[in-house]
Amino acid sequence: MARTVGSHGPKTTEAIRKAGLKLIYRHGYEAMSLRQLAAEVGIQVGSLYNHISTKQDLLFDLIRAHMEALLLELDRALAIVGDPVTLLRAFVSFHVTYHIVRKREVFIAYSELRSLDPNHYEDIVAMRRRYESRLIAILEDGCRHHMFEVQDCRVAAYGILAMLTGVCTWFRPNGRLSRETVIEIYSQQVISGLRPAGD
Amino acid sequence: MARTVGSHGPKTTEAIRKAGLKLIYRHGYEAMSLRQLAAEVGIQVGSLYNHISTKQDLLFDLIRAHMEALLLELDRALAIVGDPVTLLRAFVSFHVTYHIVRKREVFIAYSELRSLDPNHYEDIVAMRRRYESRLIAILEDGCRHHMFEVQDCRVAAYGILAMLTGVCTWFRPNGRLSRETVIEIYSQQVISGLRPAGD
Amino acid sequence: MARTVGSHGPKTTEAIRKAGLKLIYRHGYEAMSLRQLAAEVGIQVGSLYNHISTKQDLLFDLIRAHMEALLLELDRALAIVGDPVTLLRAFVSFHVTYHIVRKREVFIAYSELRSLDPNHYEDIVAMRRRYESRLIAILEDGCRHHMFEVQDCRVAAYGILAMLTGVCTWFRPNGRLSRETVIEIYSQQVISGLRPAGD
Amino acid sequence: MARTVGSHGPKTTEAIRKAGLKLIYRHGYEAMSLRQLAAEVGIQVGSLYNHISTKQDLLFDLIRAHMEALLLELDRALAIVGDPVTLLRAFVSFHVTYHIVRKREVFIAYSELRSLDPNHYEDIVAMRRRYESRLIAILEDGCRHHMFEVQDCRVAAYGILAMLTGVCTWFRPNGRLSRETVIEIYSQQVISGLRPAGD
DNA sequence: CATGAATGAGGCTTCATTCAT
DNA sequence: GATGAATGAAGCCTCATTCAT
């Protein structure tokens, strides 16, 4: 008397991840129920457990996958030759683009950090630090070459990251400003903000 | 962890608000149960309802009170005479200070927006817009006087707000940098970022 | 919209214990669902948790209470002056009576031992050992006075306990044999079994 | 803990029976899940159904097989010529030996009776009665020949069975007492318990 | 014969809320 | 104003079982 309708086969796992991403983004991890998730996927609640081991594990999985992709693609984006300003432009461009395109992954990776188990939390925070350190390194290099002038590279980096990340809060794909324009505006604002006093 | 002797008299309501703030900040609105809240206050669950009408109402109450205070104090902070740069400095100083001092209120006013009922949500978003518009106005005034040069004042403002707000994520009261230093760094970075190209 | 029917007041806790005893006896701890239990009591499932903290705790509570009563009443039953035979008769009489009257408590205290958490398990086993040691002491005393003759008092005691405890498996209050008769039969059989060879 | 390489071929059915015996003995029928069972065997849950028709049927199968073997081997053990005392000794020896060697089968055949479907239950109880009747017959024969003196042969038999069966609760193969010694002790205790008053 | 994915029922437990005392 | 006990819904998760591949 089993199985009459619903999702089948190995695609179900991917459907669950997709639906989980959507619902966690919209309602938050705590507020998303597995009932909702199952309904979104079109299967019974119990069937979820053929694909995930735990609600918590689904969250971790989504965030970890995102962080891994983020780090990998950052590597690619920064695999260029150029002075610190050029690298900083590349960073801004990459960060904004990624945060617009992967808006939901990015959002939950920030906002649901506190919903992670302690161990999972540590893993993700470590990955996030690796990401931040790439920007800090660029700023430090720029300071060494007197192209930037900042009191504290770490604080400056945090400010830049917050500014750029904020984009995914308000950016609308078909809104007034194109992605390229936003990148241009923020590149300008960021680089100006770091210019040595006399320039 | 909780008070062992129960809270009494008219102070209980305030104790509930305080405990609610703490717990929502730490665990999130969805994840905080009224049991936890009552335990933190040192009363029984049922007794909460002598002071709040609903869990949702407690949340709204906390956020609204915060937004009202924020707007009121911003008015005071900007009630000075000066050019746009001076006003912008005042804004940065106020925003950073407030976001450091009222870290928890600020955080939940952002992160729990989505937990608000639609009506409540609209109310709060309207207040937030009033706040943002004060910064946008400063930037627009600065552009008119050619003290700033930005393609889009709204986008610039969003960037600045995100950068400054990010402070409450990493700032530690007794950390490496004092509040004044952070304000100085960010004022510099923000104003530099808006300078006309030639300056 | 709360509370319209069902059990009220402080009597509910006792009703839950009683119903729990009945259902665990009948179906076993694992097989008894809290749905059943709540239905038997006449309340909603969730309401159980105003009175018990856990299904496991209910089980432990029932067994511990039984063991405590058992030990206490054994003390009373053996608080007499007499030779080992007299004491043994008193033990048999007490054990059989208690195991007939508290048939259900006795049964689950044996059969659900394995359903106890490790810690709870240890507690109960320790109590059971104290009970057994009372019988062993009687046998040892009897051997010292040459009124009994057994190769191994512990093994003999285990045999006696098993025999007597078996009563609660088949005894029926209004059956062919009265309680007194059963006690008489078993006293005879037990004491004969321990007689020195020559007697 | 489980076999890492899956069980194959016609031996799987036997592996399931063996694992079922072990797990039901350890956790009880209700508490054993088919997931556990499959893991113990080293196959997937669904694969169990190629070998058993139902969890309930597995239980019945194990118990029935045990009872059949028990009755068959009792027949062999009592296929001797001798007076009632000799036969009783043979019974005690057989019962204790079997209950020590087949400890787990014996245990679940008692403790999981209540987990059997009504029909299955009746079948097993009938077999158990056949077993008990063999002992009762010996006692009755002994009484007729004035070698035993008991008020009620059935009750005496129940007591003896309980005593002997208790052995499988505490007997340890390499413990203080050998199997032979235990048999000797209990034979002595049982037969003494039935001696006519004057002997 | 084994697998993996599905089902629907049900497991224990917690939830926000109500209300008589 | 506080309490404790009630409600009904919902939480996550596991269950035995089925069946296409």
Side-chain angles (χ1 to χ4, degrees), chain D residues 69-87:
Chain D
L70 181 69
L71 285 166
L72 190 69
E73 299 203 20
L74 177 64
D75 276 353
R76 282 202 202 112
L78 295 187
I80 57 174
V81 178
D83 61 9
V85 170
T86 305
L87 280 170

PDB file of all heavy atoms in Angstrom, chain D residues 69-87:
ATOM      1  N   ALA D  69      11.434 -27.801  19.622  1.00  0.00           N
ATOM      2  CA  ALA D  69      12.695 -28.444  20.008  1.00  0.00           C
ATOM      3  C   ALA D  69      12.647 -28.851  21.472  1.00  0.00           C
ATOM      4  O   ALA D  69      13.085 -29.947  21.860  1.00  0.00           O
ATOM      5  CB  ALA D  69      13.857 -27.493  19.758  1.00  0.00           C
ATOM      6  N   LEU D  70      12.087 -27.973  22.279  1.00  0.00           N
ATOM      7  CA  LEU D  70      12.012 -28.244  23.720  1.00  0.00           C
ATOM      8  C   LEU D  70      11.216 -29.534  23.981  1.00  0.00           C
ATOM      9  O   LEU D  70      11.660 -30.419  24.725  1.00  0.00           O
ATOM     10  CB  LEU D  70      11.345 -27.060  24.425  1.00  0.00           C
ATOM     11  CG  LEU D  70      11.195 -27.161  25.941  1.00  0.00           C
ATOM     12  CD1 LEU D  70      12.547 -27.078  26.622  1.00  0.00           C
ATOM     13  CD2 LEU D  70      10.281 -26.053  26.466  1.00  0.00           C
ATOM     14  N   LEU D  71      10.068 -29.623  23.344  1.00  0.00           N
ATOM     15  CA  LEU D  71       9.217 -30.795  23.558  1.00  0.00           C
ATOM     16  C   LEU D  71       9.903 -32.056  23.028  1.00  0.00           C
ATOM     17  O   LEU D  71       9.869 -33.122  23.659  1.00  0.00           O
ATOM     18  CB  LEU D  71       7.863 -30.584  22.867  1.00  0.00           C
ATOM     19  CG  LEU D  71       6.937 -29.619  23.600  1.00  0.00           C
ATOM     20  CD1 LEU D  71       5.770 -29.194  22.713  1.00  0.00           C
ATOM     21  CD2 LEU D  71       6.410 -30.268  24.881  1.00  0.00           C
ATOM     22  N   LEU D  72      10.511 -31.908  21.873  1.00  0.00           N
ATOM     23  CA  LEU D  72      11.160 -33.062  21.269  1.00  0.00           C
ATOM     24  C   LEU D  72      12.293 -33.572  22.162  1.00  0.00           C
ATOM     25  O   LEU D  72      12.406 -34.776  22.436  1.00  0.00           O
ATOM     26  CB  LEU D  72      11.724 -32.669  19.895  1.00  0.00           C
ATOM     27  CG  LEU D  72      12.222 -33.828  19.032  1.00  0.00           C
ATOM     28  CD1 LEU D  72      11.033 -34.675  18.588  1.00  0.00           C
ATOM     29  CD2 LEU D  72      13.006 -33.313  17.833  1.00  0.00           C
ATOM     30  N   GLU D  73      13.078 -32.662  22.651  1.00  0.00           N
ATOM     31  CA  GLU D  73      14.221 -33.094  23.446  1.00  0.00           C
ATOM     32  C   GLU D  73      13.776 -33.577  24.826  1.00  0.00           C
ATOM     33  O   GLU D  73      14.443 -34.437  25.425  1.00  0.00           O
ATOM     34  CB  GLU D  73      15.248 -31.963  23.544  1.00  0.00           C
ATOM     35  CG  GLU D  73      15.776 -31.577  22.152  1.00  0.00           C
ATOM     36  CD  GLU D  73      17.144 -30.908  22.215  1.00  0.00           C
ATOM     37  OE1 GLU D  73      17.853 -31.072  23.234  1.00  0.00           O
ATOM     38  OE2 GLU D  73      17.486 -30.214  21.241  1.00  0.00           O
ATOM     39  N   LEU D  74      12.670 -33.036  25.316  1.00  0.00           N
ATOM     40  CA  LEU D  74      12.164 -33.554  26.587  1.00  0.00           C
ATOM     41  C   LEU D  74      11.752 -35.021  26.401  1.00  0.00           C
ATOM     42  O   LEU D  74      12.039 -35.874  27.249  1.00  0.00           O
ATOM     43  CB  LEU D  74      10.963 -32.742  27.065  1.00  0.00           C
ATOM     44  CG  LEU D  74      10.332 -33.266  28.360  1.00  0.00           C
ATOM     45  CD1 LEU D  74      11.314 -33.158  29.525  1.00  0.00           C
ATOM     46  CD2 LEU D  74       9.039 -32.536  28.697  1.00  0.00           C
ATOM     47  N   ASP D  75      11.082 -35.284  25.288  1.00  0.00           N
ATOM     48  CA  ASP D  75      10.712 -36.669  25.002  1.00  0.00           C
ATOM     49  C   ASP D  75      11.934 -37.570  25.100  1.00  0.00           C
ATOM     50  O   ASP D  75      11.902 -38.617  25.741  1.00  0.00           O
ATOM     51  CB  ASP D  75      10.112 -36.766  23.585  1.00  0.00           C
ATOM     52  CG  ASP D  75       8.643 -36.422  23.590  1.00  0.00           C
ATOM     53  OD1 ASP D  75       8.077 -36.236  24.690  1.00  0.00           O
ATOM     54  OD2 ASP D  75       8.057 -36.314  22.500  1.00  0.00           O
ATOM     55  N   ARG D  76      12.983 -37.172  24.461  1.00  0.00           N
ATOM     56  CA  ARG D  76      14.199 -37.982  24.490  1.00  0.00           C
ATOM     57  C   ARG D  76      14.712 -38.149  25.916  1.00  0.00           C
ATOM     58  O   ARG D  76      15.085 -39.234  26.345  1.00  0.00           O
ATOM     59  CB  ARG D  76      15.297 -37.315  23.651  1.00  0.00           C
ATOM     60  CG  ARG D  76      15.101 -37.520  22.161  1.00  0.00           C
ATOM     61  CD  ARG D  76      16.424 -37.332  21.409  1.00  0.00           C
ATOM     62  NE  ARG D  76      16.153 -37.017  20.013  1.00  0.00           N
ATOM     63  CZ  ARG D  76      16.403 -35.848  19.425  1.00  0.00           C
ATOM     64  NH1 ARG D  76      16.977 -34.878  20.137  1.00  0.00           N
ATOM     65  NH2 ARG D  76      16.108 -35.670  18.169  1.00  0.00           N
ATOM     66  N   ALA D  77      14.724 -37.038  26.647  1.00  0.00           N
ATOM     67  CA  ALA D  77      15.307 -37.081  27.997  1.00  0.00           C
ATOM     68  C   ALA D  77      14.503 -37.976  28.933  1.00  0.00           C
ATOM     69  O   ALA D  77      15.056 -38.587  29.859  1.00  0.00           O
ATOM     70  CB  ALA D  77      15.404 -35.668  28.576  1.00  0.00           C
ATOM     71  N   LEU D  78      13.200 -38.060  28.698  1.00  0.00           N
ATOM     72  CA  LEU D  78      12.362 -38.866  29.598  1.00  0.00           C
ATOM     73  C   LEU D  78      12.120 -40.274  29.060  1.00  0.00           C
ATOM     74  O   LEU D  78      11.386 -41.059  29.660  1.00  0.00           O
ATOM     75  CB  LEU D  78      11.017 -38.161  29.825  1.00  0.00           C
ATOM     76  CG  LEU D  78      11.098 -36.828  30.571  1.00  0.00           C
ATOM     77  CD1 LEU D  78       9.689 -36.321  30.882  1.00  0.00           C
ATOM     78  CD2 LEU D  78      11.898 -36.954  31.862  1.00  0.00           C
ATOM     79  N   ALA D  79      12.750 -40.605  27.957  1.00  0.00           N
ATOM     80  CA  ALA D  79      12.569 -41.942  27.378  1.00  0.00           C
ATOM     81  C   ALA D  79      13.463 -42.938  28.094  1.00  0.00           C
ATOM     82  O   ALA D  79      14.296 -43.619  27.490  1.00  0.00           O
ATOM     83  CB  ALA D  79      12.867 -41.911  25.871  1.00  0.00           C
ATOM     84  N   ILE D  80      13.300 -42.993  29.387  1.00  0.00           N
ATOM     85  CA  ILE D  80      14.092 -43.915  30.181  1.00  0.00           C
ATOM     86  C   ILE D  80      13.159 -44.691  31.078  1.00  0.00           C
ATOM     87  O   ILE D  80      12.002 -44.311  31.263  1.00  0.00           O
ATOM     88  CB  ILE D  80      15.127 -43.170  31.068  1.00  0.00           C
ATOM     89  CG1 ILE D  80      14.380 -42.170  31.959  1.00  0.00           C
ATOM     90  CG2 ILE D  80      16.163 -42.477  30.220  1.00  0.00           C
ATOM     91  CD1 ILE D  80      15.276 -41.475  32.966  1.00  0.00           C
ATOM     92  N   VAL D  81      13.668 -45.758  31.623  1.00  0.00           N
ATOM     93  CA  VAL D  81      12.862 -46.547  32.551  1.00  0.00           C
ATOM     94  C   VAL D  81      13.349 -46.228  33.961  1.00  0.00           C
ATOM     95  O   VAL D  81      14.554 -46.122  34.198  1.00  0.00           O
ATOM     96  CB  VAL D  81      13.023 -48.050  32.279  1.00  0.00           C
ATOM     97  CG1 VAL D  81      12.220 -48.867  33.288  1.00  0.00           C
ATOM     98  CG2 VAL D  81      12.589 -48.373  30.849  1.00  0.00           C
ATOM     99  N   GLY D  82      12.399 -46.033  34.854  1.00  0.00           N
ATOM    100  CA  GLY D  82      12.812 -45.731  36.221  1.00  0.00           C
ATOM    101  C   GLY D  82      11.644 -45.294  37.061  1.00  0.00           C
ATOM    102  O   GLY D  82      10.529 -45.058  36.556  1.00  0.00           O
ATOM    103  N   ASP D  83      11.855 -45.161  38.338  1.00  0.00           N
ATOM    104  CA  ASP D  83      10.778 -44.749  39.233  1.00  0.00           C
ATOM    105  C   ASP D  83      10.612 -43.240  39.133  1.00  0.00           C
ATOM    106  O   ASP D  83      11.423 -42.544  38.530  1.00  0.00           O
ATOM    107  CB  ASP D  83      11.076 -45.184  40.673  1.00  0.00           C
ATOM    108  CG  ASP D  83      12.344 -44.573  41.205  1.00  0.00           C
ATOM    109  OD1 ASP D  83      12.912 -43.684  40.529  1.00  0.00           O
ATOM    110  OD2 ASP D  83      12.776 -44.972  42.305  1.00  0.00           O
ATOM    111  N   PRO D  84       9.574 -42.693  39.748  1.00  0.00           N
ATOM    112  CA  PRO D  84       9.300 -41.257  39.650  1.00  0.00           C
ATOM    113  C   PRO D  84      10.479 -40.401  40.087  1.00  0.00           C
ATOM    114  O   PRO D  84      10.736 -39.346  39.500  1.00  0.00           O
ATOM    115  CB  PRO D  84       8.097 -41.083  40.567  1.00  0.00           C
ATOM    116  CG  PRO D  84       7.375 -42.378  40.487  1.00  0.00           C
ATOM    117  CD  PRO D  84       8.459 -43.430  40.384  1.00  0.00           C
ATOM    118  N   VAL D  85      11.198 -40.811  41.099  1.00  0.00           N
ATOM    119  CA  VAL D  85      12.336 -40.013  41.533  1.00  0.00           C
ATOM    120  C   VAL D  85      13.390 -39.939  40.425  1.00  0.00           C
ATOM    121  O   VAL D  85      13.944 -38.890  40.129  1.00  0.00           O
ATOM    122  CB  VAL D  85      12.946 -40.592  42.827  1.00  0.00           C
ATOM    123  CG1 VAL D  85      14.280 -39.908  43.130  1.00  0.00           C
ATOM    124  CG2 VAL D  85      11.981 -40.406  43.997  1.00  0.00           C
ATOM    125  N   THR D  86      13.651 -41.057  39.818  1.00  0.00           N
ATOM    126  CA  THR D  86      14.614 -41.079  38.719  1.00  0.00           C
ATOM    127  C   THR D  86      14.159 -40.171  37.576  1.00  0.00           C
ATOM    128  O   THR D  86      14.933 -39.392  37.012  1.00  0.00           O
ATOM    129  CB  THR D  86      14.768 -42.520  38.199  1.00  0.00           C
ATOM    130  OG1 THR D  86      15.127 -43.357  39.287  1.00  0.00           O
ATOM    131  CG2 THR D  86      15.856 -42.580  37.125  1.00  0.00           C
ATOM    132  N   LEU D  87      12.861 -40.304  37.260  1.00  0.00           N
ATOM    133  CA  LEU D  87      12.343 -39.465  36.185  1.00  0.00           C
ATOM    134  C   LEU D  87      12.415 -37.986  36.562  1.00  0.00           C
ATOM    135  O   LEU D  87      12.735 -37.136  35.736  1.00  0.00           O
ATOM    136  CB  LEU D  87      10.887 -39.858  35.881  1.00  0.00           C
ATOM    137  CG  LEU D  87      10.758 -41.106  35.009  1.00  0.00           C
ATOM    138  CD1 LEU D  87       9.303 -41.570  34.945  1.00  0.00           C
ATOM    139  CD2 LEU D  87      11.270 -40.816  33.590  1.00  0.00           C
TER     140      LEU D  87
END
